[in-house]
Amino acid sequence: MSGTAEADTVHETRRLAAEADLVVVKAGTNSLTDEQSNLDDSKVNKLVDDVMDLRQQGKRVLLVSSGAVGAGKGLIGLTDETVEQSQALSTVGQSQLMRRYTERFEQFDQTVAQILLTENDLEDPDRFTNFTNTVETLLEWDIVPIINENDAVATEELRIGDNDMLSSSVAIGIGADLLVTLTDVGGVYTGNPKKDPSAERIETISSNYAAVQELVDESSKDAFGGIRTKVAGARAASEHGIPAIIAKSTESDVLDKISAAEQVGTLFIPTNGDDDD
């Protein structure tokens, strides 16, 4: 692809992202909690404000939110827990998380709804139909669905494993127009920006996916979480024709900038299933 053609493709993808009507926004635990695993009011408020920037433009938004286990750890005071304790912590943290979301969204007269999912809900056709019907009804009522994995009942066999993949699966399943993953880094980099000050942000990912994947594998050691699943989730969405963006949650008016077609984070160009490897 020539430089001009590639630039045109990037411009068109930013336009599609800006004009998206149905948007899935995923927020990670670090975008919602402080260093002591307590919910950070300023972070929660900013996320809600950013989501409402889209809502006030008439866009429909689904929020996929992590943070339940993290918030539970902060409240209970645990730093190292068993799987069973993590499941229990999620129930404590989830109630606190939804309370904060409800309080902040109410300041905009915006109603929210909670949906908890397991892998089985996405893989079983009947259960997935029930899920999509519920989402469609909530959106018709101008309600913002807030989705999280149901950690309290999920087993190793049923766990979706990471909300990055959950948000991608939801975006694909409901036919979203855009997937935005908000994280504590500004996108995908040539190295781990937390450890490598020379790491540079990669502005767009399309035919360079294989090379980017190698960089991600080298800079990330975590099998779950971290940048790996964010890239995998965004890539999966792009393979289904959905523009995807990984961006920094603390960036000012981050979602509003995306809806203005500004350069934000790392943009994944839809491939529609083409093999770019």
Side-chain angles (χ1 to χ4, degrees):
M1 182 182 294
S2 69
T4 300
E6 184 173 352
D8 289 344
T9 300
V10 171
H11 178 77
E12 175 63 13
T13 302
R14 293 200 192 283
R15 184 190 66 79
L16 290 173
E19 296 179 357
D21 170 64
L22 179 55
V23 183
V24 173
V25 176
K26 185 266 177 179
T29 298
N30 290 338
S31 299
L32 297 165
T33 59
D34 60 23
E35 294 180 356
Q36 288 73 44
S37 286
N38 294 304
L39 283 178
D40 187 317
D41 285 344
S42 63
K43 289 182 178 181
V44 174
N45 289 348
K46 183 187 183 302
L47 174 61
V48 172
D49 293 352
D50 287 336
V51 168
M52 288 307 301
D53 282 340
L54 300 184
R55 288 289 297 127
Q56 289 165 353
Q57 296 173 33
K59 298 178 184 292
R60 298 175 295 160
V61 182
L62 280 77
L63 176 58
V64 178
S65 174
S66 298
V69 174
K73 287 171 65 175
L75 284 167
I76 301 301
L78 288 180
T79 57
D80 186 20
E81 69 282 349
T82 65
V83 172
E84 291 78 11
Q85 288 174 329
S86 292
Q87 290 177 309
L89 286 170
S90 74
T91 66
V92 177
Q94 185 67 25
S95 63
Q96 295 297 313
L97 189 60
M98 284 305 301
R99 180 174 65 86
R100 284 293 298 116
Y101 277 136
T102 299
E103 290 173 346
R104 186 59 175 179
F105 274 108
E106 281 180 345
Q107 295 181 10
F108 296 92
D109 294 322
Q110 175 66 62
T111 302
V112 298
Q114 173 182 266
I115 303 177
L116 299 178
L117 298 175
T118 66
E119 180 74 21
N120 192 48
D121 297 319
L122 300 178
E123 293 185 345
D124 182 274
D126 290 335
R127 295 173 73 91
F128 187 72
T129 296
N130 292 338
F131 163 68
T132 55
N133 288 342
T134 296
V135 167
E136 289 173 2
T137 300
L138 292 171
L139 294 174
E140 288 175 3
W141 291 344
D142 284 331
I143 292 173
V144 174
I146 300 178
I147 301 170
N148 198 352
E149 185 174 9
N150 193 349
D151 294 308
V153 300
T155 65
E156 190 63 32
E157 290 75 22
L158 291 177
R159 287 189 73 248
I160 297 164
D162 192 283
N163 274 335
D164 296 319
M165 300 311 298
L166 171 61
S167 59
S168 178
S169 297
V170 167
I172 294 166
I174 66 172
D177 303 310
L178 173 66
L179 169 64
V180 180
T181 300
L182 298 176
T183 181
D184 58 348
V185 294
V188 184
Y189 286 76
T190 55
N192 186 340
K194 295 181 179 180
K195 298 179 180 179
D196 180 5
S198 67
E200 298 180 355
R201 179 169 57 87
I202 301 170
E203 293 185 3
T204 60
I205 294 177
S206 54
S207 59
N208 58 339
Y209 177 74
V212 170
Q213 187 61 56
E214 289 184 11
L215 290 172
V216 168
D217 289 342
E218 290 175 2
S219 64
S220 175
K221 296 181 180 179
D222 297 327
F224 279 105
I227 197 62
R228 279 184 176 177
T229 52
K230 292 173 178 57
V231 169
R235 173 65 174 183
S238 71
E239 288 178 340
H240 286 78
I242 302 171
I245 296 173
I246 298 176
K248 194 175 185 68
S249 61
T250 56
E251 180 167 343
S252 176
D253 302 318
V254 60
L255 298 182
D256 201 33
K257 289 178 179 176
I258 291 172
S259 66
E262 295 183 23
Q263 180 179 306
V264 176
T266 297
L267 175 69
F268 286 70
I269 308 294
T271 65
N272 295 306
D274 295 337
D275 185 0
D276 296 313
D277 296 341

